[in-house]
Amino acid sequence: MERNPVTETMFCLTNDDAGSQQPQLFRDLLDFLSEQQVPATFFVVPASGGIPLDEKPEWVELLYRALDQGHELQHHGFNHGVFEFGVPPGFMLDIIPEAKARWLREPDAVRAPHTRAALGEKIARGLDILDRALSIQPLGFRSGCLATCDEMYQALADHGLRWSSNRVVNPMGWRYINRDFDAGEPWQADVPPHPYPYTAGLIEVPMLSEYTWLLVPGDEERQFDLLRRDYERARERSGVFVALSHYYAMTEPYATGLRIYERAFAHARELGDVQFCTVGQLLA
C-alpha cells in the first residue's frame, strides 16, 4: 500500500569492488563525492585476484582517504568469485552467460563448496585481511555477484556480522545492462524497500537497483529516469533509498554514471527532506 511521504528520506549510495581494479577510477569517485558532500558505503574485496589487500599500498592509501572523508568500509566476500558464497539471482546470471550455463549444467557441483564451515573460513580470512590492512571490523556484508545461500547467512552470524545487503527490489537495472529495455519487470513483492529482519538474526538492507553500469552518453536520460522513479516511489513508501553502484562502471568510459548521480543528488535535494548517509548511519 502506498502512503504519504515520511518526514525524511535516507539516501544511501553503496559502491562495490574497492580493492580490485583501476584504483585511479576509485580516486575519481572520491573526488566527486567530496564535491557533492555525499558519504558512501564501500564494499571492499579483501583478496581480489588472490592478492591480500594489505599487499596493495595504493588501495590502502585510498581506502584510508575514504575513511577520513566520512565514508564507510564493509566486507565484500573474499576474492569475488561468481559462486563464491552461493548462487547469484537469475537476473544476475542472465548477464554472466558462462556462469549461468555452468549452473544449469552442474548445480550440485556449484553448491558443493557452500558449507557453513567453508564459507565461515572465507569470511574470517577476509575479516583478518581488512583488520590488518585498515584496522576495521566490518559489521556489514555484500557477496560478490549477490550470490547467497542459507549457509552464508549462518556463517556471517557465526563471525559477528550484523547485517547484509544482497537482495534487490528492482531488477530492471540488470535488465538494462542486457539492453532489455522493455522487460517491464516490477518491484519484487517479497523484498521490502527498506531494512528488515532476515535469516540467522541478520538485518537485510535491500538495494533498489544498479543504475550506472558502463554507460555511454546516450544512456543518460533513460537511466536517470529509472533512478528517479525508484527514488520517488521509495520516498513515498518507506523513506529509504539504497542504490548499488560500481566505481569503475560509473566513471568509465564517459563518466556518464557520475552525471546521473549528480542529477540524482540534486533531484533529492530539490524534493527536500533528504539525508545522505552510510548504511551504518541508516541502521543506527
Side-chain angles (χ1 to χ4, degrees), residues 1-4 236-238:
M1 179 181 295
E2 303 293 326
R3 59 190 181 92
N4 292 330
E236 293 284 332
R237 291 191 58 184
S238 69

Side-chain angles (χ1 to χ4, degrees), residues 150-210:
D150 289 344
E151 291 76 9
M152 181 198 82
Y153 287 101
Q154 295 293 336
L156 291 172
D158 291 343
H159 289 84
L161 279 295
R162 297 181 183 174
W163 58 268
S164 69
S165 183
N166 290 289
R167 305 198 75 199
V168 169
V169 176
N170 184 0
M172 279 304 294
W174 285 268
R175 301 305 184 197
Y176 280 16
I177 290 171
N178 260 354
R179 318 304 284 180
D180 187 1
F181 304 126
D182 299 319
E185 192 162 4
W187 279 21
Q188 302 302 286
D190 65 332
V191 184
H194 54 74
Y196 63 98
Y198 199 51
T199 188
L202 272 72
I203 299 294
E204 175 65 21
V205 184
M207 65 212 81
L208 268 292
S209 202
E210 157 67 88

Side-chain angles (χ1 to χ4, degrees), residues 11 224 227 259-269 276:
F11 191 132
F224 173 70
L227 189 158
R259 287 196 295 275
I260 288 171
Y261 272 104
E262 183 177 18
R263 294 175 64 183
F265 298 152
H267 181 66
R269 289 176 170 126
F276 298 99

